[in-house]
């Protein structure tokens, strides 16, 4: 009568371990085992590294948006000026509207803004700039702008000059203390028509938001100065709103609309960046599917190795069966062989993937030095460095996928070994 040991007993592990270590001359497939192990390791490493970079890129992108732009922008639906017949969307009661919006629970700041596009000039250099007119106390609450670690100059001097992005400063080749000129084509209204308005300002502050394209065009003027420059006396173009939970901005839409008034419109950061966010979501899904296929391909190496192992160990299987081992025991032995390869490979892959995510800046610097720089171009990618954010959920997802596929593909060759006829196995030997 066949005696079956307890499932996954020490006896089964010892046999499986002996088979994994066996050389080819002893009927083993150690080379295939190593190939399978390396394949799983590299696949898990690639999956974790990609998930970390993907999450880091999204977090950096969203943080750069939320740290330098309004979470919600309140506009006026607009009215028609009866004297000129022009459609006017400026806000005349901006102070009262800002106070009402500021009173909504979850709102941290509501600042009136004046916005306009101008030509900036310094000596022989010219560039297009988008001017934001804002009160000094409101500018000091924008996280990515009011950051002394990444900025030059003193924000306390903002009422006496202009604050510009790092890209604007580079394009104009100016620094703190230099003067720059901004030109508005339709500025001064005279009896003979409209003439350009040209004003000179001292650069008192240079900021870095973390987004290349924002730093290339953004500049701030004091609110009253911007009102006069853009012919907005007594008016504002919009109300810039910051909230405590920008990811849940939809929940504040109705309270904000109610506080702003009947003829108000809302434009959230998710509306303005919807194209980028959808592209990131699509990229996330596609990359995960592609890398899952890579893990599956690596796991298929386990099948090849196990099939060769079963073929080489036919005589051993016949002897073990005649000694009384059941089909279940044989199946578990070969399942352990394949599953162990998957587990060890997944473990090494997790270590490599985590190290890559933690030391990604050092690795990228090394690659840049070897490749003579130019590995990461912020003008193309929109941010200044390759970010990586290692999340426990992503590691678990990668490990679960690799182990699940490793266990799944191991079942077929293990079952084939268990169903091998011991008499036929010994006769072939």
């Amino acid at each position: 009568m066949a005696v079956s040991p307890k499932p996954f007993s020490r006896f089964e592990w010892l046999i499986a371990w002996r088979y994994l270590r066996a050389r080819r001359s002893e009927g083993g497939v150690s080379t295939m085992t190593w190939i399978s192990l390396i394949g799983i390791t590299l696949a898990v490493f690639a999956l974790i590294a990609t998930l970390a970079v993907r999450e880091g890129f999204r977090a950096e992108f969203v943080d750069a948006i939320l740290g330098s732009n309004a979470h919600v922008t309140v506009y006026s639906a607009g009215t028609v000026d009866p004297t000129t017949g022009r459609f006017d969307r400026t806000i005349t009661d901006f102070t009262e509207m800002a106070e009402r919006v500021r009173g909504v629970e979850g709102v941290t700041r509501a600042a009136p803004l004046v916005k306009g596009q101008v030509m900036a000039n310094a000596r022989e250099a010219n560039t297009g700039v988008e001017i934001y007119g804002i009160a000094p106390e409101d500018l000091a609450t924008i996280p990515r702008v009011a950051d002394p670690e990444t900025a030059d100059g003193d924000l306390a001097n903002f009422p006496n000059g202009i604050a510009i992005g790092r890209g604007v400063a580079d394009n104009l080749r100016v620094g703190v203390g230099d003067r720059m000129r901004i030109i508005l084509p339709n500025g001064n209204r005279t009896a003979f028509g409209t003439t350009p308005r040209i004003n000179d300002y001292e650069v008192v502050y240079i900021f870095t938001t973390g987004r290349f394209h924002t730093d290339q065009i953004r500049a701030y003027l004091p609110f009253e100065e911007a009102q006069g420059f853009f012919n907005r006396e007594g008016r504002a173009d919009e109300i810039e709103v910051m909230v405590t939970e920008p990811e849940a901005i939809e929940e504040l839409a109705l309270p904000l609309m109610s506080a702003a008034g009947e003829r108000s419109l809302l434009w959230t950061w998710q509306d303005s960046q919807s194209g980028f966010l959808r592209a990131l979501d699509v990229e996330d899904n596609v990359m995960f599917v592609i890398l899952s296929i890579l893990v599956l391909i690596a796991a298929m190496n386990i099948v090849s190795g196990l099939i060769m192992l079963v073929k080489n160990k036919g005589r051993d299987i016949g002897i073990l069966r005649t000694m009384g081992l059941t089909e279940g025991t044989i199946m578990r032995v070969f399942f352990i062989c394949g599953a162990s390869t998957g587990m060890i490979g997944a473990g090494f892959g997790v270590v490599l993937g985590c190290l890559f995510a933690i030391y990604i800046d050092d690795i990228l610097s090394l690659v840049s030095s070897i490749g003579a720089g130019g590995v990461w171009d912020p003008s193309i990618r929109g941010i200044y460095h390759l970010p990586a954010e290692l999340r426990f959920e992503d590691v678990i997802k990668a490990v679960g996928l690799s182990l699940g596929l490793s266990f799944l593909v191991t079942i077929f060759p293990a079952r084939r070994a268990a169903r091998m006829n011991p008499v036929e196995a010994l006769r072939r030997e």
Side-chain angles (χ1 to χ4, degrees):
M1 180 178 178
V3 178
S4 177
K6 294 181 180 180
F8 298 101
S9 63
R10 184 170 179 269
F11 174 73
E12 296 172 354
W13 283 92
L14 287 174
I15 297 176
W17 179 241
R18 181 179 178 83
Y19 285 173
L20 284 175
R21 292 186 303 158
R23 300 176 182 176
R24 181 175 297 274
S25 60
E26 300 172 354
V29 283
S30 58
T31 302
M32 287 299 301
T33 301
W34 278 107
I35 292 175
S36 303
L37 183 70
I38 294 173
I40 291 291
T41 298
L42 293 178
V44 174
F45 159 70
L47 183 56
I48 292 179
T50 303
L51 292 176
V53 171
R54 180 200 70 180
E55 186 61 32
F57 183 82
R58 182 184 180 88
E60 179 71 16
F61 183 82
V62 172
D63 184 63
I65 294 172
L66 300 180
S68 59
N69 296 282
H71 301 165
V72 185
T73 302
V74 181
Y75 296 95
S76 170
T79 57
V80 178
D81 191 329
T83 58
T84 63
R86 294 180 177 178
F87 190 73
D88 185 10
R89 299 190 63 175
T90 58
I91 304 172
T92 55
D93 60 337
F94 57 86
T95 303
E96 295 79 6
M97 181 182 291
E99 285 294 332
R100 294 196 304 269
V101 172
R102 205 175 289 122
V104 176
E105 185 177 358
V107 173
T108 59
R109 182 171 68 85
L113 291 184
V114 172
K115 293 176 65 175
Q117 295 180 343
V118 300
M119 174 67 74
N121 167 264
R123 295 180 289 274
E124 302 298 325
N126 299 281
T127 187
V129 172
E130 188 172 19
I131 297 291
Y132 284 60
I134 189 171
E137 60 272 17
D138 292 326
L139 180 63
T141 61
I142 302 178
R144 286 291 184 113
V145 174
D147 185 358
E149 295 184 359
T150 60
D152 296 334
D154 188 354
L155 201 57
N157 296 325
F158 174 62
N160 305 318
I162 188 172
I164 61 176
R166 182 74 59 185
V168 177
D170 293 341
N171 291 336
L172 296 179
R173 296 188 289 277
V174 297
V176 174
D178 293 335
R179 299 194 69 83
M180 60 177 285
R181 181 178 296 111
I182 60 175
I183 305 167
L184 181 66
N186 299 321
N188 297 316
R189 299 171 183 171
T190 67
F192 300 99
T194 302
T195 61
R197 174 172 293 164
I198 303 174
N199 282 3
D200 285 352
Y201 296 98
E202 180 184 352
V203 178
V204 296
Y205 192 74
I206 300 175
F207 56 84
T208 302
T209 64
R211 287 195 69 196
F212 180 85
H213 300 297
T214 299
D215 294 339
Q216 288 287 110
I217 63 171
R218 182 76 59 88
Y220 290 95
L221 275 178
F223 184 70
E224 291 80 6
E225 180 67 27
Q227 282 182 311
F229 187 80
F230 290 106
N231 299 315
R232 300 283 198 279
E233 291 81 358
R235 295 171 293 163
D237 289 313
E238 60 192 45
I239 306 295
E240 181 181 76
V241 182
M242 298 286 192
V243 300
T244 54
E245 296 292 338
E247 295 284 356
I249 194 64
E250 296 86 358
E251 300 177 4
L252 290 177
L254 289 179
L256 288 174
M257 286 284 291
S258 179
E262 293 182 357
R263 296 191 58 79
S264 61
L265 301 173
L266 298 184
W267 185 253
T268 70
W269 70 274
Q270 293 176 339
D271 294 329
S272 61
Q273 304 295 335
S274 59
F276 289 105
L277 295 176
R278 283 196 301 268
L280 287 175
D281 290 337
V282 171
E283 183 184 23
D284 289 350
N285 297 330
V286 171
M287 289 303 298
F288 186 78
V289 171
I290 292 175
L291 290 169
S292 298
I293 296 174
L294 179 62
V295 176
L296 177 60
I297 294 172
M300 294 304 293
N301 288 329
I302 299 177
V303 177
S304 302
L306 276 183
I307 291 176
M308 294 178 62
L309 182 62
V310 170
K311 182 178 180 180
N312 294 341
K313 293 296 182 180
R315 179 172 176 272
D316 288 16
I317 295 172
I319 293 173
L320 291 174
R321 290 298 310 278
T322 57
M323 290 174 62
L325 270 66
T326 63
E327 290 186 4
T329 302
I330 300 298
M331 182 176 179
R332 287 192 295 271
V333 167
F334 285 94
F335 178 82
I336 291 172
C337 290
S340 298
T341 303
M343 288 189 291
I344 296 173
F348 284 133
V350 167
V351 173
L352 291 177
C354 293
L355 290 175
F356 177 85
I358 294 172
Y359 297 104
I360 187 170
D361 290 333
D362 298 328
I363 295 172
L364 195 62
S365 298
L366 177 62
V367 174
S368 296
S369 63
I370 295 174
V375 175
W376 186 264
D377 186 356
S379 64
I380 297 175
R381 294 163 176 85
I383 56 178
Y384 290 96
H385 68 285
L386 178 63
E389 183 174 321
L390 189 62
R391 296 195 312 168
F392 180 75
E393 303 85 40
D394 290 337
V395 176
I396 293 299
K397 187 187 299 183
V399 172
L401 177 66
S402 60
L403 291 183
L405 291 176
S406 298
F407 294 169
L408 184 64
V409 300
T410 302
I411 294 176
F412 170 73
R415 187 176 180 84
R416 179 181 177 183
R419 292 190 171 185
M420 183 177 293
N421 190 320
V423 177
E424 292 296 329
L426 291 174
R427 181 181 299 173
R428 285 199 298 268
E429 294 295 333

